[in-house]
Amino acid sequence: MTNKNIVWHDQSLTKEERRKKNGHHSSVLWFTGLSGSGKSTVANAAAHRLFDLGVNTYVLDGDNVRHGLNKDLGFSDEARKENIRRIGEVAKLFVDSGQLVFTAFISPFREDRDTVRALLEEGEFIEVFVECPIEKCEERDPKGLYKKARAGEIPEFTGISSPYEAPDKPELVLNTDQYSVDECVDQLVDYLKKNNWL
């Protein structure tokens, strides 16, 4: 529900001016995939690589956001939708500031990811599917979550007791079970260069 007394104020510096000064495009690189697929690892490595190249980057990580902005949300389908909606709005602000923002969230539902895409202008949303078989994710299980989910200690766990809807047409697919982190970052940077984001 929108309050009629709240009015959007345009920035005195435009997105285009910020992009020109930064020397690169701004957009959201939306990493999606199962828990343990490597979303945060690859996103952080890519952000670091690009930062070293002079690109303004920031990573919004699922766990970190739930420590603050979204600490009031649980993991029901509705709470997950609201989690992604809020992240989409924050990511849009980063795009307006002229940065490349990386989001590392399971974001299991296509509809929610499409909602975020619709918030942004054409070419500002890059869906990155971090593809990894669930067996490999479970083998990695860096947080011990799959073990707890299998034991019934975590209800509504994506891939076990809650569905994950893989992207239909992601801009980029990174197969983290087949390539190293550095190789995945190489693929991402190549994609950005070929599509004139850098």
Side-chain angles (χ1 to χ4, degrees):
M1 182 179 194
T2 304
N3 186 319
K4 64 181 179 180
N5 296 315
I6 297 174
V7 179
W8 181 266
H9 289 271
D10 291 325
Q11 297 282 327
S12 58
L13 290 171
T14 67
K15 180 168 46 181
E16 290 69 26
E17 288 171 321
R18 292 176 189 275
R19 288 172 173 171
K20 185 175 181 182
K21 184 173 191 291
N22 292 340
H24 61 79
H25 196 62
S26 63
S27 60
V28 177
L29 290 105
W30 192 278
F31 285 67
T32 179
L34 293 170
S35 178
S37 60
K39 298 179 300 300
S40 293
T41 301
V42 176
N44 278 283
H48 197 282
R49 171 93 62 88
L50 291 166
F51 179 81
D52 288 343
L53 294 173
V55 178
N56 293 302
T57 64
Y58 194 82
V59 178
L60 293 170
D61 179 80
D63 284 350
N64 293 353
V65 169
R66 281 186 176 271
H67 274 284
L69 178 67
N70 293 346
K71 68 181 178 181
D72 60 320
L73 298 176
F75 290 90
S76 67
D77 287 355
E78 284 307 308
R80 288 172 192 249
K81 290 174 78 67
E82 177 60 13
N83 183 53
I84 297 306
R85 187 197 69 77
R86 291 182 192 178
I87 295 311
E89 294 289 352
V90 171
K92 182 180 178 184
L93 295 174
F94 274 92
V95 172
D96 288 345
S97 77
Q99 298 191 60
L100 278 179
V101 58
F102 296 73
T103 68
F105 297 85
I106 294 171
S107 50
F109 305 120
R110 289 187 199 100
E111 180 184 0
D112 297 341
R113 298 190 302 264
D114 290 344
T115 296
V116 175
R117 185 186 291 271
L119 284 174
L120 299 155
E121 293 178 13
E122 184 72 28
E124 292 182 346
F125 184 91
I126 303 167
E127 190 172 37
V128 181
F129 180 27
V130 183
E131 188 170 15
C132 187
I134 192 168
E135 297 78 17
K136 185 67 174 179
C137 294
E138 285 198 66
E139 185 182 307
R140 292 172 180 169
D141 204 9
K143 303 172 189 172
L145 300 177
Y146 283 99
K147 187 176 180 181
K148 289 180 180 177
R150 292 286 187 195
E153 296 174 32
I154 302 177
E156 301 177 286
F157 188 80
T158 303
I160 304 296
S161 51
S162 185
Y164 175 76
E165 298 172 357
D168 289 325
K169 296 178 181 178
E171 278 74 15
L172 184 63
V173 177
L174 300 176
N175 296 102
T176 56
D177 62 319
Q178 300 174 28
Y179 298 99
S180 69
V181 172
D182 282 343
E183 288 170 330
C184 288
V185 172
D186 289 341
Q187 292 171 35
L188 178 61
V189 172
D190 286 347
Y191 173 86
L192 292 173
K193 286 179 177 176
K194 285 177 183 174
N195 289 278
N196 300 314
W197 265 273
L198 303 178

